[in-house]
Amino acid sequence: MADLFGRKEAGMKRELPAWNVLQSDVLIVGGGFGGLWAALRASACGSSVVLVDKSFAGKSGHSFFASGARMVLLPEDNVDEYVRQIALGNEWLVEQDMVRAVFEGSYARLKDLESFGLMFRKKNGSYTSTKARGTQSVRNLWLENATAADEVTILRKLAISRGAQFVDHVCIYDLVKDEDNGVTGAVGIGVKDSRNYLFRAGSVIVATNSGSYRGHHLACELQGTGPFMAYNTGARIKNPEFHYINIRPVRHELEGSGILPAMGARWVNGSGAYFMERYDPELRDRAPSSRIVMAAAKEALKGNVPITIDVKSMADEERERFRVLMVSHGWQPILREKCRREKGYDILNDNIEWQPAYESNKLGIDADCACKTSLRGLFAAGMARTLGINPFTGWSIAACTWSGYTAGESAARHAMEENENKGGRRVDFGSAQASHELFFQPLRVGSGVEPDELVRRLQEILFPADVLIIMTESKLKAALDEVLMLKSGQLSQLRAQGTRGLIKARETQTMILSAEMTLRAALMRKETRENIFYREDFPAPDDSNWLKWIIAEKGKDGEISYSTREIPFETYRFKPELRARVQTNCAGQFVK
C-alpha cells in the first residue's frame, strides 16, 4: 500500500523527519485580507480549508494596521470612469479587466461586511465618503466606530465558524509539487515548537504580502517569501521593477502625509520654503504621494533638510476632522497621545521632521482574473498577486478583498475537479525532502555571517534616496554590483541558531533575490512614468518601447530570466491615446 508520498516501500518513510501532516482541499498561506476572504469563500464553496500564518492570522501584518478605507463602487457610480482613473494613475501599466472586476464586486463585499455586523459611515441615510488621493472621484468608504483590525478579527472568526482550520505561528518556507509538476502543498516549521509541517492540498493560494527589506512603516515583517516561494517553484513574477515609496516621520510611525495637506498643512524644506510649488505648481501640497516623495528626495539631496510639514496654520475644525478619521487606524490615536505625553510633541500642533522612505516592492505573482497562476494548482491573492502599482488610498483593501474572494472560489473549483478526476495528487517526495534539507542548511554553517548583519548591509545599499527613489543607471548598476557581491560572497555563509534563526536566514535569502530582481528590472525600464517610476536619466515616458510589462521567471540555469509582455489594449476599454492628467483631491472633502 502506498504512503502519502505515493511510495510503496514503507521503509523509505524513515528518510523523512517527523512530519505533522495536514490535508485539505484548499491550503491558504497568509492571514491578511486576501487570505481571510479566500478562506471564507472557499469554505462557502464546500471545500475543506487550512489557513497557515507565520504569526497569528487576523492579528498581524499590514491588514491589521491598515486605515480601513476601501474603494467602493456604489450603484449610482460609473464603473467606466473608475476604471479610467485607476488606469491613468497607474500610467496604463495595470490590468484593466482586473480593475473592473475589483470595482464590480466591491458593493457586494460591502454588503457582506454589513451582514457581518460592520457598519460604514452614513449621513441622512446615504454613505459618506472621501475622494481617494490621486483620483478625481473614486470613493473611499470608512467603517463606523471600527478599524481594519476589527474587520480582520471578524473575518477570522467567521472563517473558523464555517469550518476553516487556522494554523498559526507556522512559517511556510516552500511549496511542494506532485510528480506532474503541479503545486499540491507546502512545507513549514512551527515558529514556537519547531515541528515540521507538511500540508497537502488540491489547491494552494499564496496570499502573503509582496515583500520588503525590514524597512520603514510596518515593513519590518515583510520579506516577500510568498511571491518568491512561487517564483522558486516556477511561477512568473510581474512588475519586479516597481516599488512603494512614501514619506514618513523620522521619529515615530505617525500617519498623515496624505490627509494633512488636504486639511491645510504644507510641506516645508530646511530653508523654510514651501517647495511643492516648484514641483507641482497646480496641485502643490495635494500632489500624488509619489510626486511628493520625489520632491522631498530632491530637496534632501540638495541639502535642504530637514523636511517638515507645517501644521500650525491648520484650522481647529480640520484638526478635529483629522482626529475622527485617524480613529480608523486604531493604533494611531494611541501613538499620537503617547508622543504628546512622553515625547513632548503633537503631530497636529508641531512641525515634525519627515523623510522619503522605501517601504516595499510592488512585484507580485502573475495571475489571470480568476487569480490562477501559470502553475497548475497555484493561485495568488492579496499583495502576493499583482494588483497595480500606484498606492491609491483605499485601493489595497478593495483589491485584496476581491483577489481573496476570487482566489478562494477558483481554488475550491480546482480542488473539486482534481478530486473528481484523479482522486487527488500525491506530493513528490523528492521535492519535499529537498526543500527541508535546503531550509536547514544554515544550521550546519559554523563560522559565518548572521542574517541581521547581511540585512543591514542590504539596507545600506538600497535605502539611499538616489538608488530606488530617484534612479539612474550608474546608481542602479553600483547597487546591483554590491548585491551580487553579497550573493556570491556571503549568502552561502548564512548561519542560524534555532528555528527563528532559520526563518531569518530564509527571509534574508529571499531579500537578496528580491534586490537582484528589482535592480535588474529597474535597469531595463529606460523611462519615467511620473506617478509610479522615476529614472532621472530617462525623464520622459516612452510608450513606443515601454508600454509593456516586465516578467521574471526562474531560468533553466537557476538565474533570473526576463521577458516583456505587451498590454492587451485591444481588449481594454481605455487606450493610451486618451492619456490625460488626473486631478488630485487628497481625500479631504466628504461627499455623498
Side-chain angles (χ1 to χ4, degrees):
M1 180 175 175
D3 66 10
L4 62 89
F5 292 104
R7 293 173 285 109
K8 295 181 179 179
E9 296 84 358
M12 290 181 64
K13 204 168 183 178
R14 289 194 300 270
E15 299 174 25
L16 279 173
W19 292 101
N20 187 40
V21 181
L22 285 82
Q23 184 162 346
S24 61
D25 295 325
V26 176
L27 170 66
I28 302 168
V29 183
F33 279 110
L36 292 169
W37 276 103
L40 279 172
R41 186 56 183 160
S43 296
C45 291
S47 290
S48 60
V49 174
V50 169
L51 186 150
V52 189
D53 194 286
K54 70 178 180 181
S55 185
F56 188 90
K59 292 289 186 181
S60 61
H62 268 191
S63 295
F64 185 77
F65 291 101
S67 69
R70 67 171 58 235
M71 290 183 176
V72 178
L73 179 82
L74 297 178
E76 63 268 27
D77 296 327
N78 186 314
V79 65
D80 281 344
E81 182 58 23
Y82 274 33
V83 174
R84 183 188 72 84
Q85 291 180 49
I86 299 301
L88 281 168
N90 279 280
E91 304 283 349
W92 303 108
L93 299 180
V94 70
E95 304 159 51
Q96 291 185 33
D97 50 354
M98 179 268 293
V99 175
R100 184 174 296 273
V102 170
F103 284 126
E104 288 179 341
S106 62
Y107 187 67
R109 301 292 77 75
L110 172 72
K111 289 301 179 183
D112 284 342
L113 289 169
E114 289 182 335
S115 73
F116 301 159
L118 288 164
M119 297 296 106
F120 287 78
R121 294 177 186 171
K122 289 184 177 181
K123 184 176 181 181
N124 299 325
S126 298
Y127 290 105
T128 58
S129 63
T130 59
K131 293 179 183 178
R133 179 173 63 181
T135 73
Q136 292 172 308
S137 58
V138 177
R139 295 177 188 254
N140 271 330
L141 268 58
W142 299 75
L143 291 165
E144 181 72 53
N145 299 320
T147 68
D150 297 311
E151 182 174 338
V152 291
T153 298
I154 288 174
L155 293 177
R156 176 189 170 103
K157 290 178 179 178
L158 280 169
I160 292 173
S161 71
R162 296 178 183 183
Q165 179 181 357
F166 279 61
V167 182
D168 297 305
H169 306 296
V170 170
C171 175
I172 297 295
Y173 56 81
D174 216 345
L175 304 176
V176 294
K177 295 183 175 182
D178 60 31
E179 294 175 348
D180 294 325
N181 212 36
V183 176
T184 190
V187 285
I189 188 168
V191 177
K192 294 183 175 181
D193 60 17
S194 301
R195 297 177 68 185
N196 293 302
Y197 285 83
L198 173 64
F199 298 90
R200 299 183 65 216
S203 301
V204 178
I205 302 173
V206 175
T208 66
N209 212 306
S210 55
S212 186
Y213 307 97
R214 298 203 190 113
H216 217 330
H217 185 42
L218 306 178
C220 60
E221 61 176 324
L222 306 181
Q223 286 81 49
T225 50
F228 288 98
M229 285 191 300
Y231 164 85
N232 281 321
T233 310
R236 294 189 291 260
I237 298 294
K238 188 161 73 174
N239 295 337
E241 72 271 39
F242 296 113
H243 35 266
Y244 179 27
I245 57 176
N246 207 341
I247 186 164
R248 308 299 316 157
V250 170
R251 296 177 63 189
H252 299 96
E253 270 310 323
L254 293 158
E255 296 284 349
S257 63
I259 196 69
L260 285 173
M263 296 176 170
R266 303 191 66 184
W267 294 103
V268 184
N269 66 17
S271 301
Y274 295 125
F275 60 86
M276 283 307 301
E277 294 181 347
R278 298 200 306 274
Y279 296 96
D280 194 324
E282 182 180 354
L283 299 176
R284 297 183 292 182
D285 301 279
R286 296 191 182 190
S289 173
S290 60
R291 205 167 301 148
I292 292 171
V293 177
M294 296 296 179
K298 289 183 177 181
E299 291 296 307
L301 291 172
K302 292 176 185 176
N304 292 335
V305 290
I307 304 297
T308 59
I309 189 166
D310 181 5
V311 297
K312 293 183 180 296
S313 59
M314 288 174 59
D316 288 341
E317 57 267 28
E318 296 294 353
R319 289 189 176 87
E320 184 56 33
R321 290 180 63 229
F322 180 87
R323 294 187 186 98
V324 171
L325 287 177
M326 285 302 101
V327 168
S328 64
H329 282 71
W331 53 272
Q332 173 76 11
I334 298 172
L335 181 56
R336 178 173 163 264
E337 174 59 24
K338 184 178 178 68
C339 289
R340 187 196 64 79
R341 184 179 65 252
E342 298 181 10
K343 303 300 179 181
Y345 73 88
D346 185 338
I347 190 175
L348 291 179
N349 293 288
D350 300 297
N351 298 344
I352 65 172
E353 183 178 1
W354 296 61
Q355 64 185 7
Y358 181 97
E359 291 198 6
S360 62
N361 57 47
K362 296 295 288 184
L363 58 80
I365 305 169
D366 185 29
D368 64 15
C369 263
C371 293
K372 181 180 178 181
T373 75
S374 58
L375 297 179
R376 190 190 72 251
L378 180 64
F379 300 81
M383 301 302 288
R385 186 204 189 277
T386 47
L387 295 175
I389 306 157
N390 195 320
F392 300 105
T393 305
W395 169 255
S396 293
I397 291 180
C400 287
T401 297
W402 164 81
S403 64
Y405 187 93
T406 302
E409 183 173 301
S410 298
R413 183 181 301 114
H414 176 84
M416 184 180 299
E417 292 171 355
E418 288 286 297
N419 288 333
E420 290 177 353
N421 296 335
K422 300 181 177 63
R425 294 180 181 270
R426 298 185 176 112
V427 171
D428 175 26
F429 167 72
S431 172
Q433 180 76 338
S435 294
H436 180 271
E437 290 296 321
L438 186 61
F439 179 73
F440 277 84
Q441 176 62 32
L443 283 181
R444 296 187 284 273
V445 175
S447 59
V449 59
E450 296 288 343
D452 287 348
E453 180 183 341
L454 201 53
V455 171
R456 281 193 293 271
R457 181 67 193 111
L458 192 60
Q459 291 172 340
E460 291 170 355
I461 296 169
L462 299 177
F463 284 0
D466 57 356
V467 176
L468 289 176
I469 296 178
I470 298 175
M471 293 175 281
T472 61
E473 183 168 348
S474 61
K475 290 287 188 178
L476 289 170
K477 282 184 173 179
L480 178 60
D481 288 343
E482 291 188 78
V483 169
L484 293 177
M485 287 179 64
L486 293 181
K487 176 183 176 181
S488 62
Q490 295 187 296
L491 193 57
S492 63
Q493 298 303 310
L494 272 177
R495 65 182 180 188
Q497 295 182 10
T499 300
R500 293 180 186 273
L502 283 171
I503 294 170
K504 275 192 173 184
R506 172 50 61 91
E507 291 170 346
T508 304
Q509 293 163 352
T510 297
M511 284 186 266
I512 295 292
L513 174 58
S514 172
E516 179 185 357
M517 185 180 288
T518 195
L519 288 166
R520 289 189 186 277
L523 279 163
M524 288 177 65
R525 184 170 289 281
K526 293 178 169 57
E527 65 163 355
T528 285
R529 293 183 179 268
E530 63 176 353
N531 288 318
I532 57 176
F533 190 81
Y534 186 76
R535 280 287 299 265
E536 195 169 45
D537 45 354
F538 295 95
D542 182 1
D543 285 354
S544 61
N545 292 307
W546 284 108
L547 196 58
K548 59 184 67 173
W549 291 309
I550 294 178
I551 307 295
E553 56 188 319
K554 195 172 185 178
K556 293 181 179 179
D557 59 357
E559 296 299 313
I560 307 168
S561 174
Y562 292 94
S563 61
T564 59
R565 183 188 302 163
E566 297 296 327
I567 300 173
F569 286 110
E570 66 277 6
T571 67
Y572 286 171
R573 173 74 173 81
F574 299 102
K575 319 296 182 185
E577 58 265 27
L578 298 179
R579 173 184 287 236
R581 183 191 179 102
V582 178
Q583 300 298 313
T584 305
N585 185 312
C586 293
Q589 301 298 318
F590 280 99
V591 295
K592 287 187 179 180

